[in-house]
Amino acid sequence: MVQKTPERSVNRMIEQATPLKNRLLNCMPLELQSRLIPKLKMMSLEQGSVVHEAGASLTHVYFPIDSIISLLHVLENGTTAEVSVIGNEGMIGVSVFMGGNNAQNQAIALTTGTVFQMSAIHFRDEFNQPDAVFRMLLLRYSQALITQMAQTVVCNRHHSIEQQLSRWLLMASDRLPHNDIIMTHELIASMLGVRREGITASAHKLKEVGAIDYHRGHIMIVDRIKLEKMSCECYLVVKRETDRLLPCHSVESPESVDTTSNWGSMISSGLHAKCISRV
Amino acid sequence: MVQKTPERSVNRMIEQATPLKNRLLNCMPLELQSRLIPKLKMMSLEQGSVVHEAGASLTHVYFPIDSIISLLHVLENGTTAEVSVIGNEGMIGVSVFMGGNNAQNQAIALTTGTVFQMSAIHFRDEFNQPDAVFRMLLLRYSQALITQMAQTVVCNRHHSIEQQLSRWLLMASDRLPHNDIIMTHELIASMLGVRREGITASAHKLKEVGAIDYHRGHIMIVDRIKLEKMSCECYLVVKRETDRLLPCHSVESPESVDTTSNWGSMISSGLHAKCISRV
DNA sequence: TCCTCTTTGTACGATAACGCACAGACGGAC
DNA sequence: GTCCGTCTGTGCGTTATCGTACAAAGAGGA
C-alpha cells in the first residue's frame, strides 16, 4: 500500500529540503521546523494507494509534498464523492488532534508523489506544547479545510459538472509541481461523484474553448484564465481564504504573497528539483 | 437583530439552569461550568434573525439552548445552501478559536428560541488555558461539525430531495424540545438549496406514508422510524459520530447514552421548564 | 364576516444528469 | 509490428429537478 524510501537517504533528503516543501510546515518558525524534521519520514505514494481507510484509527499524519490526496466518502451503495482535496498546503489526519482519532473518510493518493509522514504520538506531543505556535497554525489550517468543505457543499448543490470540473482541475493544478494532471476521466468522475461520461463531455468542451488539453490520462491546463472563467466562484473563494489563513512566504518564492499565484509553481521553481529525488 | 433579556433575571435563570442546557457546556466538569456561567448571557433569538453575517469578524460565540441555528452559504447569484445546522449539541463561532476569526458563512436562527452568548475574548481566554479540558472538548465538537459538513457534501451529491428532507427534519427534531417544527416549506427549501415546490412534493409524500404531518408552517413527526427509513444513511452517520465525540450524560437524562435518543427530549424533560422562561 | 396575505398544491415544458451500450482510438507488452 | 487492455467518444431513452405560472386553502386583522 504505502511504500517507503530507504531511511538513510531519506533523512539526508529532508535535511537538504529545508525549508520544508509543505506549506504548512514551511509556515513554522525555523526552530520549530528543526525540532520537527527528525520526526518526519519522507515517503512515496503510488497513485491509488490508500493512506488510511474510512473509520481507521490513525497512527500517522501526512504532509503532502508533491502529491494530491483526496478525502473520499464511500456511501453504502458504493457511490463516492470527494469531501476534500489536500496537497502541499495541508495535511492528512486532522482528527488526530481534533479528537476521536478516527478518520471518517478514506484518504487516497490521486497522484504518485511524496509526502512527509509523522507519527500521531509525536504530532500530538507537539500539538499540546504550551508554546501554541504549532497548535495555532494547525487550527488555522483546519479552518481552511472547513472552508473548502463548506464550499463543496454548495458547489455540489448548485453548479454544473463543467463548472465543478474546472474548479477541480484548478485545485489539482495548484497542488502539483508541473502542468500534467495524470488522471483519467474515470478517476475525476469518482471524485466529483458523477458519471465518467459527464466528465468526458465537459472536458471535451473545455478543450474546444481552449482552456485545457488532454490525452489518454493526461490533462494540461493551456489557458488558466479561461479555465477560471469556466469555473464557479467556489475555486477562488477557497483559494483566497486558504491564502488568508496560511500566509506563509517560503524562502525561495517571495511572490507567494500574490493571492492569484499558483502554489504548484512555488514548488516547481527553486530548490525543489535539487532536493527531492522522485522515487 | 438579536434581542436581549434584562440582565438581572438572566443571571438568576442561568444559575438555576445548571447543568447547562447545552450539551457542549454540559459535558464540562462542574468547576469549569461554574467558571463559565458568569461569562454567559442568555438571550432570545427570533426566527430569521441573523446571528452573524458572512465575512463578519466575530465578537461573540453562541451556545444554542432550544433554538436551531443554520450556517447558510449565499452564492453570488443569491441562491443558498445550508452548510451546517446547529442546536443544543454545539455552538456558533468555531472560527473564534480555529483562527482567522472571520465567519465564512451567515448564521441565521431557524426557530425562535434561546441561546447562551459569550464574548469571543472570554472564550479565547478559556480556550488557551493550560488545562486543556475546554479546548479538547471544543476540538471534539469541531470534529463533529466537520463530519456533518462532509456528510452534507455527499448527501447533496447523491440523495433525493425526499431523502434529504427526511434527514433534515430528523436533525431539526433532535434539536428541538417539542415535536413542532415551526417552518414553512419555503424556509426548508432555502436551507436545502432546492425549490419550494420540491419540498412541498416530498413533504406531501412523507405525509401520505404517515411519517410526518404538517399544516401551514408547522411540521410534526408522527412516525420517527418511518421517517428514518425514508431518510438516507447520512442522518445516522452524523448522529452516531456526534454521540461518539460528545458522550455527555446530563444529570437529568441518563437515557441519553442511547444513541437513538432524541437530544431534544433531553431538554424538554427535567429542569428545563422550571429554569428557563421563554422570552 | 370579510378581506388580504401567506402558505401550500398542481401543472407543464425545459434541462441537466443518469444508466446503459458500444464503437473507436491509443499505447504498452510481447 | 501486432495484440489487447484501457481510455475516450457518442448515442439514446429515462429520470429528477428546475423555472414558471397560477389556483386553492388557511389565518389573522379590520
Side-chain angles (χ1 to χ4, degrees), chain A residues 185 196-197 200 214 216-217:
Chain A
H185 295 179
R196 191 270 311 166
E197 294 89 331
T200 298
Y214 64 91
R216 220 184 152 71

Side-chain angles (χ1 to χ4, degrees), chain A:
Chain A
M1 151 188 151
V2 159
Q3 299 172 339
K4 294 180 188 175
T5 312
E7 290 215 21
R8 187 178 308 199
S9 65
V10 161
N11 285 336
R12 203 182 54 240
M13 286 195 301
I14 293 175
E15 284 161 30
Q16 292 174 353
T18 313
L20 296 168
K21 294 293 169 193
N22 173 282
R23 189 170 168 182
L24 204 47
L25 295 172
N26 207 5
C27 285
M28 315 213 171
L30 288 178
E31 70 271 18
L32 176 53
Q33 285 192 29
S34 45
R35 204 162 69 219
L36 291 175
I37 286 176
K39 299 172 181 170
L40 297 175
K41 181 187 284 184
M42 192 182 288
M43 301 172 64
S44 77
L45 297 178
E46 292 289 311
Q47 182 174 49
S49 64
V50 175
V51 178
H52 62 69
E53 289 289 351
S57 173
L58 300 187
T59 57
H60 295 85
V61 301
Y62 298 86
F63 301 90
I65 298 167
D66 58 1
S67 60
I68 301 180
I69 296 175
S70 175
L71 292 188
L72 194 68
H73 192 104
V74 183
L75 287 169
E76 285 168 2
N77 65 15
T79 56
T80 59
E82 183 182 77
V83 163
S84 167
V85 57
I86 294 159
N88 63 53
E89 90 292 353
M91 64 166 284
I92 296 291
V94 291
S95 51
V96 161
F97 63 87
M98 295 292 265
N101 198 44
N102 283 67
Q104 195 65 17
N105 303 304
Q106 190 184 57
I108 189 165
L110 296 188
T111 60
T112 297
T114 47
V115 297
F116 288 119
Q117 184 195 54
M118 185 173 176
S119 89
I121 294 163
H122 285 149
F123 186 92
R124 261 190 293 257
D125 273 357
E126 201 58 60
F127 188 81
N128 291 320
Q129 290 292 314
D131 156 23
V133 178
F134 187 83
R135 183 165 67 235
M136 198 202 71
L137 202 59
L138 267 295
L139 288 177
R140 288 179 79 92
Y141 169 63
S142 304
Q143 176 68 32
L145 192 66
I146 287 176
T147 299
Q148 188 192 128
M149 289 169 59
Q151 200 70 38
T152 308
V153 167
V154 290
C155 196
N156 273 357
R157 168 60 64 210
H158 289 295
H159 297 141
S160 67
I161 294 184
E162 195 175 303
Q163 289 175 307
Q164 292 185 54
L165 174 61
S166 304
R167 167 181 66 82
W168 199 88
L169 290 174
L170 288 165
M171 294 179 73
S173 162
D174 284 345
R175 288 162 175 78
L176 285 174
H178 48 69
N179 184 21
D180 181 13
I181 303 173
I182 307 180
M183 293 179 196
T184 64
H185 295 179
E186 183 78 49
L187 177 64
I188 298 175
S190 67
M191 294 303 129
L192 294 182
V194 300
R195 287 180 318 149
R196 191 270 311 166
E197 294 89 331
I199 298 299
T200 298
S202 297
H204 193 78
K205 187 157 177 202
L206 294 179
K207 191 183 198 174
E208 268 187 339
V209 301
I212 65 171
D213 195 11
Y214 64 91
H215 190 64
R216 220 184 152 71
H218 294 255
I219 304 178
M220 287 130 288
I221 295 179
V222 298
D223 188 337
R224 196 176 181 85
I225 306 298
K226 216 172 253 175
L227 192 56
E228 286 186 17
K229 277 181 188 153
M230 304 295 284
S231 163
C232 43
E233 66 204 74
C234 301
Y235 169 67
L236 275 182
V237 167
V238 174
K239 180 159 176 51
R240 289 210 176 106
E241 180 69 356
T242 305
D243 284 342
R244 185 180 78 89
L245 287 164
L246 301 175
C248 320
H249 310 148
S250 67
V251 178
E252 78 274 40
S253 56
E255 76 274 17
S256 66
V257 189
D258 174 16
T259 55
T260 63
S261 73
N262 180 327
W263 303 336
S265 64
M266 289 168 53
I267 287 185
S268 63
S269 66
L271 297 172
H272 181 71
K274 283 183 276 182
C275 299
I276 299 177
S277 61
R278 285 293 186 70
V279 190

Side-chain angles (χ1 to χ4, degrees), chain B residues 24 55 61 78 80 86 92 95 106 117 119 126 139 158 164 178-179 183-184 228 231 239 248 256 258 264 278:
Chain B
L24 205 47
V61 300
T80 59
I86 294 160
I92 296 291
S95 51
Q106 191 186 56
Q117 184 195 54
S119 90
E126 201 58 59
L139 288 178
H158 290 295
Q164 292 185 54
H178 48 69
N179 185 18
M183 293 180 195
T184 63
E228 286 187 15
S231 163
K239 180 159 176 51
C248 321
S256 66
D258 175 15
R278 286 288 188 69

Side-chain angles (χ1 to χ4, degrees), chain B residues 28-93:
Chain B
M28 313 209 173
L30 289 177
E31 70 271 18
L32 176 52
Q33 285 191 30
S34 46
R35 203 162 70 217
L36 291 174
I37 286 175
K39 299 173 180 170
L40 297 175
K41 181 186 283 183
M42 193 181 288
M43 300 171 64
S44 77
L45 298 179
E46 293 289 313
Q47 182 174 48
S49 64
V50 175
V51 177
H52 63 70
E53 290 289 352
S57 173
L58 300 186
T59 57
H60 295 84
V61 300
Y62 300 86
F63 300 90
I65 297 166
D66 58 0
S67 60
I68 300 181
I69 297 175
S70 177
L71 293 189
L72 194 67
H73 192 103
V74 184
L75 286 170
E76 285 168 3
N77 65 13
T79 57
T80 59
E82 184 182 77
V83 163
S84 166
V85 56
I86 294 160
N88 64 54
E89 90 292 353
M91 64 166 285
I92 296 291

